[in-house]
Amino acid sequence: MEPAVLGGKLASSLVAPLVKKLFATGGPGAGLVDRPVRLTHLVSFRGEQRTLGEKEVRGLAGRLVADSLDSPGEAPFPRDEETAVADALAARLLALGDLDMDDVQAVRLGHAELARQLRCGAPAATTTGLSPDARYFLDSATEWACLHILEFFTRRSTFVARTLVAQTRGQAELIAKVDELITRVPRPDARDTDFERRYLRYVAEQHNRITIYGIDLRDSPDRWPLEVAYLSLEATAEEDRTSLPGEHAEPERTVRLPAEDALLTHDRVLLRGDAGSGKTTLVQWLAVTTSRDGDRIPYVLPLRTLVRADTLPAPAAFLTAVGCPLTPPEGWAERVLGAGRGLVLVDGLDEIPAADRHRARDWLLALARAFPGNRWLLTSRPTAVRPDWLAAEGFRELSLTPMRRADVTTFVRRWHAAARAPEYEADLLDALRTKRDLARLATNPLMCGLICALHRERRGYLPTGRKELYEAALTMLLARRDRERGMAAVELSEEAQLELLQRLAYALVLSGRTEMEAGTAEGIVERALPSVASAAGQGDAATVLRALVLRSGLLRQPAEGVLDFVHRTFQDYLGARYAVEEGHLDVLAGHAGDTQWEDVIRMAVAHARPGERATLLRALLAEDTPRLTLLALACLEHATALDPAVRSEVEARAGALIPPASTEDAKALAEAGPLVLELLPGPAGLTDAQAHGVTVTASLLAEHEQDGALAVLRRFREHADLDVRRQLVGTWERFDARDYAVEVLDHLDRSGLYLTCHTREQRAAVSRMRSWSDLEFNGPHSAADILGCTAEPGAVEQLRIMNNSALDRLDELSAFTTLRSLVMIFCSRPLDLAVIPKTIEKLMVARCTELTGLRDMDSLRTLYLTAQQLPGTRLTDFLPQAAPLDALLLGPGTTGTTGLRGLSTWSTLRLLDMEVTASLDATDWAEIARLPRLASLTLTGLLGNEPFFSQPVALPNVGNVQLQAAPGAHTDLDRLASLFPHANVSLEET
């Protein structure tokens, strides 16, 4: 019964006098003397001058209950519970005398919250045994009484005055806090806010449309909405896994994530990707989505535009440098970056000359150091700069992966929907599934778009091979008609356009740039016109150049007075074509060491005649370097006709690099392309290191040739070497989950291995395999998901849960009855550890939002905590006191409030690994000294030679002390060793 309904049964004429009797009469005034009067001094049944006793309160409660039962209509509860309900209501009314608040605070609470506090304040026994109807009536009656109590408060003579006083005090306190907040965190002024609104709208509009290659033919629009064209691709990174004490150190493993999430966990990212892989489209997507979210301010900075100036721009010149027409308030960009609100997207490191890249690096790093807290993304082709080029500055390196089959299917469907050509979709999808050469070409959005456009343009016919595909694409694009109205037509044949375009492309290739001034381009066209008869009669160089921009579909004008090709791929293809035609084989060979020329040389081999191919390939081999030998090997794919002796020599020289002897050699070998798969040997006759190198190479090539890579890896599934088996497990992500599980994973010797699941498909595959004792689940998997994919939960001994935003309960893990080790890293929901199996002996926790129940884990022998602030003031406030801990690791960020107080509780400790912080004092070191069995002590995070305590420490039982210095710290081992006179001290510098 709601309070409003109950009001029909309890007349205000009865309730109001009761409420009035419950409270003593107060005098006028605002209650400023001494302190505000609490409710305990207002009730009439407390204190020395009582006007109402407990008996009278019970009598009035009884009247309320009796009148409710006697009122017309159905009784709210059985009549035999009348006395019990009356006693319970009286108990709640008497609880008013125990509330520590005044009438102003009570009114601020509201009647519902006041009623809740009365329910909590009354003895629980008063409602024991009541029926549900009686309980419901009791709660409703309490709320109805509280409505009248608050009404009575508002009518007291002191209430209005005291309310005004309370409001004045509250406002003064609020104003003071706001003033303090403004002082600490300066807010942008109104002009900044207004400008940001306009700027974000501009960025969202400016970058929300892209070209889908091949759609912009004939009467179709030039540009399409980003939402239609954008395809979420994956990025990968090679990362180490943190091992528990005593475990074998794991090699690098491939970590996958959506490319647009690259900046969610790392503020600084270097994103590598091949030509056409979608780097620039990703930059646009991040700019548009960030502009719409409004949480950060994006700056899109294409390096090819910026390097035209003598100096790269400071923040104040960001917008001017990229041609943004908006003028920001003075100092706005610095205020944005100073507050850590910026998203700086620097695109195209590979599109500027090598000499300018170090200048760009210094510029970017200077900005990142001057304005910490912002997010920074730099894009580049894979080989433009060496690996770890920015790793020392905290940049995480990611690589855009080639499109998978599912990605290609999605792209084809979106393309045909946008092009309004659904009749060609099914045939093309069938061709991509059945024609291996065609599928190998469809590895990035650029090539997929060209394939879709050619398939539609040629009504279902498609060429094979990369050169043939480019030739067909050029024919298609050069056949576009002028869409501008009112302009005089300039008739340029396809061959004339190619002749002029390839000269422009070659000039760009030679300069190492992707943009040129319009004046420079006019000069090139002017020198070429006398030899291009069909173009010479169409006008001067400026007219012909303008026609190329408008009609070719290959040349564009990204800014006033600047020209470039729509994609670097076409520049390299046409530049190679011209170099071969002009007989510049020596120029090509001379630039073979420049990674920017790799695609140019490959396409030159495709364009060249057999004799020219042989000359060029011999020149590559003459350099006698692994990279150029592999480049020669990669060129064989494009050499349709070639002297057999030259082909044999290339394959023999490359054979010296196969099998790869190390991981680095394997990665270099994979750069030669899928042809390498046919040359990979084994496993017979290979050393363990060579076998591991072969599996690394095949794993990397799976991105380009999944079937061929799977055929190689399948041969190693019975291999005994641990590193080989770990490589086979770690590359699961690159293949179809079920196929790889059946062909490889289910045949592996499980010892020393753990299997990682990222996706639903992988979980399904796990459920069909033989049991794994060691499993890792990376991503948002619930406990039911984890349990559901393990056919034999009793076989699971070690479990890792990483980067999990879905896990909210652990009780289902109790089905893992033999679980000995549990790792939890980046779990974002509160979790109770008390419900997990008591068999767990090892626990590792890092960066989990909120954990409870650790004190109940009495079976632990090894505990590793890092980046996990311990609550309380002593270790015993959070850690399990009864656990027979043998090893304890307290990593960075754990002991800020507890120190080592209480550490000596765990007298069983033999190994202690802890971070040295300035807050540790003599008391903390004394806790260590009291550990009778401690044999090994590791101290991490040393900042230099400053001693972390003043006197040597007596640790008679500790035989080994290992010191780990912080990165960049310079330490004196002898000086630090003197602090531990009874131990063997070693130093590890990271």
Side-chain angles (χ1 to χ4, degrees):
M1 183 179 298
E2 298 295 331
V5 178
L6 183 63
K9 293 181 171 289
L10 296 177
S12 295
S13 58
L14 174 64
V15 179
L18 166 63
V19 168
K20 188 173 182 180
K21 289 184 178 182
L22 289 173
F23 296 93
T25 303
L32 298 177
V33 178
D34 196 6
R35 57 182 179 177
V37 179
R38 318 305 285 175
L39 292 187
T40 54
H41 300 296
L42 294 177
V43 294
S44 61
F45 47 86
R46 296 278 290 270
E48 297 179 356
Q49 299 179 353
R50 291 183 294 173
T51 59
L52 197 67
E54 181 176 339
K55 179 179 180 182
E56 288 77 12
V57 173
R58 294 186 179 278
L60 291 173
R63 287 180 55 194
L64 281 171
V65 173
D67 282 14
S68 298
L69 289 172
D70 294 335
S71 62
E74 181 183 358
F77 60 90
R79 289 185 176 274
D80 59 357
E81 295 183 278
E82 178 179 352
T83 301
V85 171
D87 289 341
L89 180 58
R92 291 185 177 183
L93 294 175
L94 289 169
L96 278 167
D98 297 320
L99 296 182
D100 186 24
M101 66 179 71
D102 56 38
D103 53 355
V104 176
Q105 294 170 328
V107 172
R108 189 179 300 135
L109 281 180
H111 76 281
E113 179 61 20
L114 182 61
R116 189 191 69 79
Q117 294 207 18
L118 292 182
R119 288 196 299 271
C120 295
T126 58
T127 59
T128 302
L130 292 180
S131 66
D133 286 342
R135 289 174 180 269
Y136 194 63
F137 169 84
L138 179 61
D139 290 342
S140 300
T142 304
E143 286 196 36
W144 183 245
C146 286
L147 279 171
H148 283 272
I149 289 170
L150 298 186
E151 173 67 14
F152 171 78
F153 285 161
T154 61
R155 296 186 180 184
R156 295 182 73 239
S157 60
T158 62
F159 180 81
V160 173
R162 293 189 60 250
T163 299
L164 291 175
V165 171
Q167 288 178 346
T168 301
R169 290 172 175 167
Q171 288 173 353
E173 182 180 358
L174 179 61
I175 290 170
K177 290 180 178 179
V178 170
D179 288 342
E180 179 67 15
L181 182 61
I182 291 174
T183 301
R184 293 183 179 181
V185 187
R187 301 280 297 176
D189 59 23
R191 290 196 307 143
D192 280 6
T193 303
D194 178 66
F195 175 77
E196 286 177 15
R197 192 180 302 114
R198 291 186 293 118
Y199 173 70
L200 293 176
R201 186 165 55 247
Y202 164 81
V203 171
E205 290 295 326
Q206 176 73 5
H207 297 286
N208 192 36
R209 302 185 73 81
I210 64 172
T211 297
I212 308 179
Y213 293 100
I215 291 184
D216 57 335
L217 297 173
R218 298 191 179 125
D219 299 324
S220 297
D222 283 327
R223 291 161 65 79
W224 294 77
L226 191 60
E227 291 89 343
V228 174
Y230 182 71
L231 183 71
S232 177
L233 298 179
E234 282 189 329
T236 62
E238 301 298 326
E239 293 187 349
D240 295 328
R241 180 185 71 85
T242 304
S243 301
L244 282 169
E247 289 187 333
H248 188 282
E250 290 290 337
E252 288 183 338
R253 296 177 59 85
T254 299
V255 177
R256 292 178 175 269
L257 73 162
E260 60 268 28
D261 292 346
L263 289 166
L264 292 183
T265 56
H266 289 77
D267 288 342
R268 301 180 181 187
V269 171
L270 171 59
L271 182 68
R272 300 178 187 260
D274 291 320
S277 60
K279 300 185 296 296
T280 299
T281 303
L282 172 63
V283 165
Q284 290 183 239
W285 180 261
L286 291 173
V288 170
T289 54
T290 302
S291 296
R292 290 175 177 172
D293 294 342
D295 57 338
R296 286 184 178 267
I297 306 298
Y299 301 95
V300 180
L301 304 175
L303 275 174
R304 62 186 179 189
T305 300
L306 301 184
V307 297
R308 293 202 303 268
D310 293 335
T311 58
L312 293 166
F318 277 179
L319 304 193
T320 305
V322 297
C324 176
L326 302 178
T327 302
E330 184 176 355
W332 168 75
E334 288 199 11
R335 287 193 292 275
V336 169
L337 296 178
R341 299 169 54 230
L343 171 62
V344 185
L345 305 166
V346 184
D347 188 29
L349 179 67
D350 57 288
E351 296 180 357
I352 61 176
D356 288 329
R357 292 175 193 167
H358 285 286
R359 179 163 67 103
R361 179 180 185 272
D362 293 342
W363 165 76
L364 178 60
L365 294 181
L367 288 172
R369 292 164 185 160
F371 300 104
N374 296 282
R375 292 179 180 172
W376 311 82
L377 175 72
L378 176 64
T379 71
S380 172
R381 282 195 186 185
T383 57
V385 291
R386 69 178 188 277
D388 300 328
W389 193 59
L390 288 171
E393 301 295 336
F395 275 77
R396 183 192 195 192
E397 290 204 5
L398 299 175
S399 298
L400 278 178
T401 63
M403 294 167 67
R404 297 184 177 188
R405 294 178 185 177
D407 298 327
V408 173
T409 300
T410 300
F411 185 95
V412 170
R413 287 173 176 165
R414 289 185 182 178
W415 191 98
H416 286 84
R420 299 183 180 88
E423 65 274 17
Y424 295 105
E425 178 186 309
D427 289 343
L428 179 56
L429 289 174
D430 287 341
L432 287 167
R433 281 191 287 264
T434 57
K435 295 182 179 180
R436 178 184 174 188
D437 289 340
L438 183 64
R440 287 172 57 184
L441 292 172
T443 58
N444 60 55
L446 170 68
M447 296 306 299
C448 282
L450 288 177
I451 290 170
C452 291
L454 285 169
H455 185 261
R456 184 188 72 167
E457 188 74 3
R458 298 190 170 200
R459 300 185 181 279
Y461 167 76
L462 280 172
T464 58
R466 187 174 172 187
K467 176 176 177 288
E468 291 76 14
L469 184 63
Y470 286 152
E471 287 177 345
L474 288 171
T475 298
M476 177 185 68
L477 293 173
L478 294 177
R480 292 173 53 185
R481 293 294 179 261
D482 184 7
R483 292 193 298 267
E484 297 291 332
R485 301 298 182 184
M487 294 184 61
V490 176
E491 294 296 333
L492 291 176
S493 67
E494 178 181 333
E495 192 59 36
Q497 291 182 71
L498 279 174
E499 187 65 35
L500 297 173
L501 288 168
Q502 68 184 18
R503 295 182 187 225
L504 295 171
Y506 190 53
L508 285 171
V509 169
L510 285 173
S511 68
R513 298 182 180 274
T514 58
E515 291 184 342
M516 69 168 54
E517 300 292 335
T520 303
E522 281 187 24
I524 295 173
V525 172
E526 185 174 10
R527 290 189 293 274
L529 282 179
S531 60
V532 185
S534 61
Q538 300 297 320
D540 60 12
T543 302
V544 174
L545 182 61
R546 185 164 57 251
L548 285 175
V549 174
L550 292 174
R551 303 188 59 197
S552 71
L554 290 172
L555 206 60
R556 66 179 182 178
Q557 188 172 359
E560 187 65 31
V562 179
L563 297 177
D564 69 355
F565 282 85
V566 294
H567 204 279
R568 175 73 173 272
T569 299
F570 294 117
Q571 174 185 307
D572 292 346
Y573 176 87
L574 290 170
R577 186 176 189 261
Y578 185 77
V580 171
E581 286 184 1
E582 294 297 309
H584 292 177
L585 300 184
D586 55 340
V587 176
L588 292 168
H591 285 85
D594 187 342
T595 57
Q596 275 195 315
W597 284 67
E598 285 183 356
D599 276 354
V600 178
I601 291 173
R602 291 187 187 191
M603 288 297 96
V605 170
H607 285 297
R609 292 181 289 272
E612 294 168 329
R613 289 171 180 159
T615 299
L616 185 53
L617 291 174
R618 285 195 181 103
L620 295 179
L621 295 178
E623 296 295 324
D624 196 24
T625 65
R627 196 183 72 80
L628 293 187
T629 299
L630 293 174
L631 177 59
L633 182 64
C635 288
L636 293 183
E637 178 185 1
H638 308 292
T640 307
L642 180 64
D643 182 346
V646 175
R647 185 182 295 274
S648 297
E649 184 180 359
V650 171
E651 291 178 347
R653 293 279 292 278
L657 303 174
I658 300 172
S662 65
T663 300
E664 290 70 24
D665 292 342
K667 292 179 179 179
L669 184 61
E671 293 178 1
L675 180 64
V676 172
L677 290 170
E678 301 174 12
L679 305 174
L680 292 175
L686 300 182
T687 66
D688 289 346
Q690 290 173 333
H692 179 249
V694 169
T695 56
V696 170
T697 300
S699 298
L700 294 172
L701 290 172
E703 305 289 0
H704 304 278
E705 183 57 64
Q706 195 172 98
D707 293 338
L710 182 58
V712 173
L713 296 176
R714 187 189 296 116
R715 303 200 302 259
F716 291 82
R717 64 190 186 185
E718 308 292 341
H719 206 282
D721 182 67
L722 181 59
D723 287 337
V724 172
R725 291 185 288 120
R726 281 178 171 159
Q727 180 62 38
L728 294 176
V729 170
T731 197
W732 188 15
E733 277 285 287
R734 293 184 168 99
F735 296 87
D736 176 81
R738 186 166 183 238
D739 290 348
Y740 194 76
V742 171
E743 296 291 338
V744 178
L745 295 179
D746 211 19
H747 298 267
L748 295 176
D749 174 5
R750 307 285 205 262
S751 58
L753 297 181
Y754 71 91
L755 185 68
T756 299
C757 290
H758 289 87
T759 65
R760 179 186 304 173
E761 291 75 20
Q762 288 179 335
R763 293 202 312 265
V766 169
S767 67
R768 299 185 182 98
M769 284 191 281
R770 293 183 293 115
S771 298
W772 287 80
S773 63
D774 194 344
L775 287 169
E776 175 180 299
F777 293 87
N778 196 319
H781 307 275
S782 68
D785 293 335
I786 294 172
L787 181 61
C789 73
T790 51
E792 298 180 42
V796 178
E797 297 180 1
Q798 301 187 69
L799 183 63
R800 296 169 176 84
I801 302 174
M802 322 279 285
N803 304 307
N804 197 310
S805 59
L807 190 68
D808 57 2
R809 50 187 296 183
L810 297 175
D811 53 335
E812 294 188 51
L813 300 186
S814 60
F816 297 115
T817 53
T818 60
L819 191 65
R820 295 184 296 103
S821 174
L822 176 64
V823 176
M824 301 178 65
I825 300 176
F826 278 113
C827 294
S828 59
R829 295 193 180 187
L831 294 169
D832 182 9
L833 295 171
V835 299
I836 62 178
K838 303 303 181 184
T839 56
I840 292 179
E841 297 178 354
K842 290 184 178 181
L843 176 66
M844 174 181 178
V845 177
R847 299 185 184 279
C848 293
T849 301
E850 181 182 338
L851 292 178
T852 56
L854 181 58
R855 294 188 65 187
D856 298 325
M857 299 185 68
D858 297 340
S859 59
L860 287 183
R861 293 185 176 274
T862 299
L863 177 59
Y864 182 13
L865 300 170
T866 186
Q868 190 75 34
Q869 179 66 56
L870 301 183
T873 59
R874 297 173 58 84
L875 294 176
T876 50
D877 293 339
F878 188 67
L879 306 186
Q881 296 186 43
L885 289 181
D886 182 74
L888 177 63
L889 296 93
L890 300 172
T894 55
T895 59
T897 61
T898 63
L900 299 181
R901 291 180 290 279
L903 177 66
S904 56
T905 299
W906 293 277
S907 58
T908 54
L909 275 179
R910 296 178 181 273
L911 181 152
L912 176 63
D913 188 324
M914 52 175 278
E915 182 189 29
V916 176
T917 65
S919 62
L920 298 179
D921 55 23
T923 303
D924 297 306
W925 297 107
E927 290 279 355
I928 299 176
R930 286 198 292 271
L931 294 171
R933 300 185 183 180
L934 188 65
S936 178
L937 174 64
T938 300
L939 302 176
T940 64
L942 302 183
L943 299 178
N945 294 320
E946 291 299 322
F948 26 82
F949 43 85
S950 57
Q951 299 294 329
V953 175
L955 301 175
N957 299 315
V958 177
N960 296 292
V961 174
Q962 182 174 356
L963 308 176
Q964 293 183 0
H970 299 287
T971 54
D972 183 343
L973 177 60
D974 292 337
R975 182 176 184 185
L976 294 176
S978 66
L979 300 174
F980 303 97
H982 305 293
N984 178 28
V985 181
S986 61
L987 176 64
E988 177 183 343
E989 296 184 357
T990 57

